[in-house]
Amino acid sequence: MKRMPFKIVISLMAVLWVVLTSVFIQSCKSDTDSFSSDLAAQQKAASLSLSWEKGLSRCIRFSGPILQKYGLSLIDYQLSDVVGSDEINKGIASDTRIPVYDNTEDWNDFTIRLFGDVDVNTRQKYLERKILDIEQNELSDLAVVKLTWNYNGECFETQCYVSDTEVIYDPVFSNFHFISFSEGPQLLAPCLTQIKTKSEPVTGKPGPVSTIFEKKVVDQKANGDIRAQAAVSVIVYGMRDSTGVVSITSYETAAPYSATAGNSAKAEVKVTSFEKGQNGHLQFDFALATSRGNDISFDFKYGVGFSISQGASGETGSKYIDASELK
């Protein structure tokens, strides 16, 4: 076996060194460019006094634990640019991941899906949400933050636009919702003011007595702000005589609701039976719901009660109150 001439070996080594050096320089240049881009974005944000981390932290504090419960965790975030709100693309790429809420047994459960894989109506709803969020917040400067998520072991990224005070748009945070139900006299509607407070001692003395039924549903954004809410409140009034016997005298109902732009809420109470006196009673059906972008309608049938239109999150039920419940 012949040996290669010394000059040829040296030449090959020189070529190899040039190639390796070129690869190393390109690698370092890529890392340097990325670092320079991040640094430039940070300097620009600082020069504009854009406190984007405060706006992002509100969402992380409120929605973070809720998202983790259903398998989604925010594992990293990094400032990448600062842009004007008019520079935001109002479309949604087909490979963008979004939360889809379709579990009617748990309104807060979701699955992460590709935008291109959901049905046309759902895509339209999410597009309208992005346009609304951007158009409602015509701010001059927004931080562009790359969010890195882990969903049941799979990592993906989203592009988040943040102002000084809040997240303006992000595929996950903007489509997050937290539906909560509560009940009790602490939720009493402002118009129902005749009833004594819960803190007053209960006595067997003659005089006015009453009882309260109330339920409330609230839809909250990723930062904890209320997006929509609805409540039903019913008070039944009566009198206790000197012998301790209670008689029902009247009742009062309220069904307040409110929603921000692009959202809906509705509440309704329907009394189906009322009778005064010692053997008196009040029977009623109720419905309350919130929705994102869809109008809400209730359908009522005697003996069956209310049903809620598709796309809304809420609760229905029936209640019977007699004189023995008045305190």
Side-chain angles (χ1 to χ4, degrees):
M1 182 176 179
K2 293 184 178 180
R3 291 184 178 182
M4 295 177 64
F6 181 73
K7 289 185 178 181
I8 295 177
V9 172
I10 294 297
S11 298
L12 289 173
M13 290 179 65
V15 171
L16 181 61
W17 182 83
V18 170
V19 171
L20 291 174
T21 302
S22 175
V23 171
F24 176 76
I25 292 173
Q26 288 295 324
S27 176
C28 291
K29 184 175 185 299
S30 176
D31 293 340
T32 303
D33 288 346
S34 177
F35 176 78
S36 299
S37 176
D38 295 341
L39 182 61
Q42 292 171 12
Q43 292 174 340
K44 187 174 182 181
S47 68
L48 297 170
S49 299
L50 185 57
S51 305
W52 59 273
E53 287 183 299
K54 292 182 179 179
L56 181 61
S57 66
R58 289 186 65 199
C59 286
I60 295 173
R61 285 198 305 269
F62 178 77
S63 60
I66 300 169
L67 292 171
Q68 287 181 5
K69 178 181 177 181
Y70 297 98
L72 180 64
S73 299
L74 179 64
I75 58 177
D76 190 29
Y77 61 87
Q78 185 175 10
L79 178 67
S80 60
D81 200 358
V82 177
V83 300
S85 58
D86 57 348
E87 299 178 60
I88 301 176
N89 183 351
K90 294 181 181 179
I92 301 178
S94 60
D95 60 350
T96 300
R97 286 168 171 80
I98 55 172
V100 178
Y101 294 83
D102 53 8
N103 185 347
T104 56
E105 295 184 358
D106 183 352
W107 298 115
N108 297 312
D109 187 17
F110 61 86
T111 55
I112 295 296
R113 302 184 193 174
L114 291 174
F115 181 72
D117 289 344
V118 299
D119 62 84
V120 175
N121 291 335
T122 301
R123 288 202 298 270
Q124 184 61 32
K125 182 174 69 173
Y126 280 66
L127 280 169
E128 290 173 355
R129 170 62 53 182
K130 182 175 183 179
I131 293 170
L132 180 64
D133 284 351
I134 295 172
E135 291 182 347
Q136 283 185 325
N137 296 275
E138 295 182 354
L139 303 174
S140 56
D141 300 301
L142 298 174
V144 184
V145 184
K146 181 178 71 175
L147 305 183
T148 304
W149 303 87
N150 183 303
Y151 179 62
N152 293 331
E154 180 184 358
C155 292
F156 66 93
E157 296 176 353
T158 61
Q159 189 163 268
C160 179
Y161 298 93
V162 192
S163 72
D164 278 328
T165 58
E166 63 181 330
V167 169
I168 301 304
Y169 179 78
D170 174 74
V172 173
F173 281 139
S174 294
N175 294 298
F176 165 92
H177 75 212
F178 178 60
I179 305 294
S180 59
F181 294 89
S182 51
E183 58 183 275
Q186 72 275 10
L187 303 173
L188 189 63
C191 59
L192 303 179
T193 57
Q194 299 180 38
I195 189 66
K196 61 179 181 294
T197 63
K198 189 177 181 181
S199 61
E200 291 182 9
V202 176
T203 69
K205 295 180 179 180
V209 291
S210 59
T211 189
I212 304 173
F213 170 87
E214 186 166 63
K215 283 186 175 288
K216 186 175 185 179
V217 58
V218 178
D219 180 3
Q220 290 174 271
K221 298 166 61 177
N223 61 10
D225 289 348
I226 294 177
R227 181 181 284 119
Q229 58 184 332
V232 292
S233 301
V234 178
I235 303 179
V236 181
Y237 301 105
M239 291 293 295
R240 177 183 287 110
D241 64 21
S242 59
T243 65
V245 176
V246 174
S247 298
I248 289 179
T249 57
S250 62
Y251 68 87
E252 192 172 357
T253 69
Y257 55 88
S258 63
T260 58
N263 302 286
S264 301
K266 188 173 183 179
E268 187 174 343
V269 176
K270 183 175 287 292
V271 174
T272 55
S273 179
F274 175 64
E275 184 178 337
K276 297 181 180 180
Q278 297 178 11
N279 298 316
H281 70 273
L282 176 72
Q283 185 168 355
F284 59 91
D285 288 273
F286 66 89
L288 61 164
T290 63
S291 177
R292 304 196 63 192
N294 299 321
D295 291 333
I296 302 172
S297 62
F298 297 149
D299 182 36
F300 178 79
K301 294 180 181 179
Y302 281 96
V304 177
F306 284 103
S307 60
I308 302 174
S309 56
Q310 188 175 6
S313 307
E315 184 176 350
T316 63
S318 180
K319 181 71 175 177
Y320 181 92
I321 298 175
D322 61 29
S324 67
E325 298 181 53
L326 278 61
K327 307 296 182 182

